[in-house]
Amino acid sequence: MTTRITTLTGRRLKTLFTAEELLCLPADGRRLELVKGRVYEMPLADDRQTGVAVRIGAALETHVKGNSLGAAFPMGTKFVLGRDPDTVRAADSAFVGRGRIPENGLHQGCFPMAPDLAVEVVSPQDRPLDVREKIEDWLQGGTRLIWVVQRVQRTVTIYRPLGDPTELSEGASLDGEEVVAGFTCEVRDLFV
């Protein structure tokens, strides 16, 4: 369940924050995101959610690095999806194509734009409305492909900027389409 942060260490937070200010807030073990300038605390990942995110991330990293496609990002990497007011979301795994990596390379802090692929692993404490809002933020920010992994149902739902979502069950193969060229994995392998 997403919680809006209104105070921090007994002090009231200002109304709107920038991506840069978000990075200066003490997280104290919390996952903080920014939605239209407002700070929210996201549910912490449990071991099963982390396991699924690590399996997807490792498979993406191996494929992306082996084919010089760009950069794969691990769980918790923050991406700036909008400015003024700022929206910063963290993915459970993500990919940015080689042509979109800044010339000065990767750096600490938030990645300055939306990833090409964002992966969200839904946990039992995630509210459906929060998941839908996050999908919408990814799409509005420019993400071209989103995989929403439902651990309990053992499915992956694919979202794209145009068209209806596609749901894959355990017997299907997950495909990177033109976004992560050549990437495939079996959906069942995510839930080992």
Side-chain angles (χ1 to χ4, degrees):
M1 179 171 176
T2 304
T3 305
R4 177 157 178 238
I5 306 285
T6 56
T7 62
L8 192 62
T9 61
R11 293 189 337 248
R12 186 154 182 77
L13 291 178
K14 67 183 213 169
T15 306
L16 297 178
F17 282 79
T18 65
E20 294 74 22
E21 291 169 327
L22 174 70
L23 295 176
C24 294
L25 292 176
D28 299 326
R30 299 174 298 176
R31 289 183 358 155
L32 301 178
E33 293 186 359
L34 201 59
V35 180
K36 294 182 176 67
R38 300 193 191 305
V39 179
Y40 287 86
E41 181 177 356
M42 308 308 287
L44 291 175
D46 63 24
D47 291 343
R48 286 184 243 158
Q49 180 182 4
T50 300
V52 172
V54 166
R55 280 188 285 285
I56 294 172
L60 275 172
E61 173 70 19
T62 299
H63 180 76
V64 167
K65 191 173 184 179
N67 293 284
S68 301
L69 298 177
F73 294 88
M75 183 178 218
T77 302
K78 291 178 170 57
F79 295 87
V80 177
L81 302 181
R83 289 286 190 174
D84 198 23
D86 292 2
T87 294
V88 176
R89 293 292 201 162
D92 290 320
S93 190
F95 163 76
V96 175
R98 184 178 59 230
R100 297 183 64 233
I101 303 290
E103 285 185 25
N104 58 354
L106 302 175
H107 59 283
Q108 293 291 92
C110 300
F111 195 80
M113 65 191 86
D116 293 301
L117 165 70
V119 180
E120 292 291 335
V121 181
V122 179
S123 68
Q125 59 268 45
D126 287 332
R127 296 183 320 168
L129 176 62
D130 293 335
V131 174
R132 283 193 303 275
E133 287 176 352
K134 198 165 183 181
I135 292 165
E136 194 57 39
D137 284 344
W138 288 121
L139 291 171
Q140 287 178 1
T143 302
R144 298 168 45 206
L145 187 64
I146 304 163
W147 297 337
V148 176
V149 181
Q150 296 281 352
R151 217 183 56 221
V152 174
Q153 293 88 347
R154 299 175 75 86
T155 61
V156 177
T157 304
I158 302 167
Y159 294 85
R160 301 166 194 88
L162 300 174
D164 294 327
T166 305
E167 185 174 284
L168 303 177
S169 62
E170 281 189 275
S173 289
L174 185 58
D175 185 320
E177 303 175 11
E178 73 282 350
V179 176
V180 189
F183 178 85
T184 61
C185 75
E186 299 301 312
V187 170
R188 74 172 53 87
D189 292 343
L190 303 177
F191 305 107
V192 175

